[in-house]
Amino acid sequence: MNPEHIKECTTIEELMTAFPVMKQLRTHLDEAAYLSLIEEAREKDSYRLFALYEGSEIVAVAGFKPMITLYYGRFVWVCDLVTDQTKRSYGYGEKLLNFVHSWAAEAGYERVALSSGLQRTDAHRFYESKMGYDKVSYVFKKEL
């Protein structure tokens, strides 16, 4: 078996290979919408998508973008983080999020931030207890 490794998904083929795992988090997306949104986010927001492989199988994905705001300063916003539902509790999410932390620090960013759906209590426990994140705000949205 090949060892674990993390690789950026840059080609359409790599993005489509990551789609079944991403779909577990972003259930509202079909393949066309997924590709269209990623392409636009990469072009306009410097979005990056990385996959954690166990051998040749993607077991987790993380999408993030570097940002600058007056509130957070220079930071990386984690837009998407999901481990395949059959591979949870093996430490893959932790490894991938630690990769994002390292990427951000090496690129000169001061912090990493994310939001998580109110219903995702297991994810909240993971972020706070395992990864050392602080709960600092609520996120609000309005459909237009």
Side-chain angles (χ1 to χ4, degrees):
M1 177 180 271
N2 294 332
E4 293 174 3
H5 62 283
I6 296 172
K7 182 178 186 301
E8 185 169 9
C9 298
T10 58
T11 68
I12 290 176
E13 180 181 347
E14 291 166 340
L15 293 170
M16 291 314 301
T17 302
F19 178 71
V21 176
M22 181 66 79
K23 175 80 172 166
Q24 294 172 34
L25 178 66
R26 305 296 178 216
T27 57
H28 63 286
L29 294 177
D30 62 21
E31 291 178 350
Y34 164 77
L35 279 178
S36 175
L37 287 169
I38 284 183
E39 288 174 3
E40 186 175 359
R42 289 184 350 184
E43 179 186 318
K44 294 180 179 176
D45 288 336
S46 301
Y47 179 87
R48 315 277 297 260
L49 183 68
F50 285 83
L52 173 58
Y53 289 80
E54 178 65 54
S56 61
E57 179 184 9
I58 293 177
V59 295
V61 295
F64 61 86
K65 59 185 179 178
M67 296 179 68
I68 301 169
T69 66
L70 297 179
Y71 180 66
Y72 285 127
R74 293 175 46 79
F75 70 104
V76 167
W77 181 259
V78 178
C79 306
D80 314 291
L81 176 66
V82 60
T83 298
D84 185 285
Q85 60 192 7
T86 65
K87 304 290 184 175
R88 295 194 179 137
S89 299
Y90 291 102
Y92 296 127
E94 180 179 2
K95 288 175 186 173
L96 197 49
L97 195 51
N98 279 329
F99 169 83
V100 174
H101 297 164
S102 295
W103 185 98
E106 289 171 14
Y109 292 92
E110 300 161 342
R111 59 196 47 84
V112 173
L114 54 85
S115 68
S116 181
L118 294 172
Q119 77 285 2
R120 300 189 68 225
T121 55
D122 289 342
H124 304 164
R125 190 170 34 260
F126 167 74
Y127 296 130
E128 291 178 296
S129 299
K130 186 100 173 170
M131 300 306 298
Y133 278 66
D134 295 319
K135 191 183 304 179
V136 296
S137 68
Y138 287 100
V139 175
F140 296 91
K141 74 174 185 176
K142 180 178 177 69
E143 299 292 329
L144 302 176

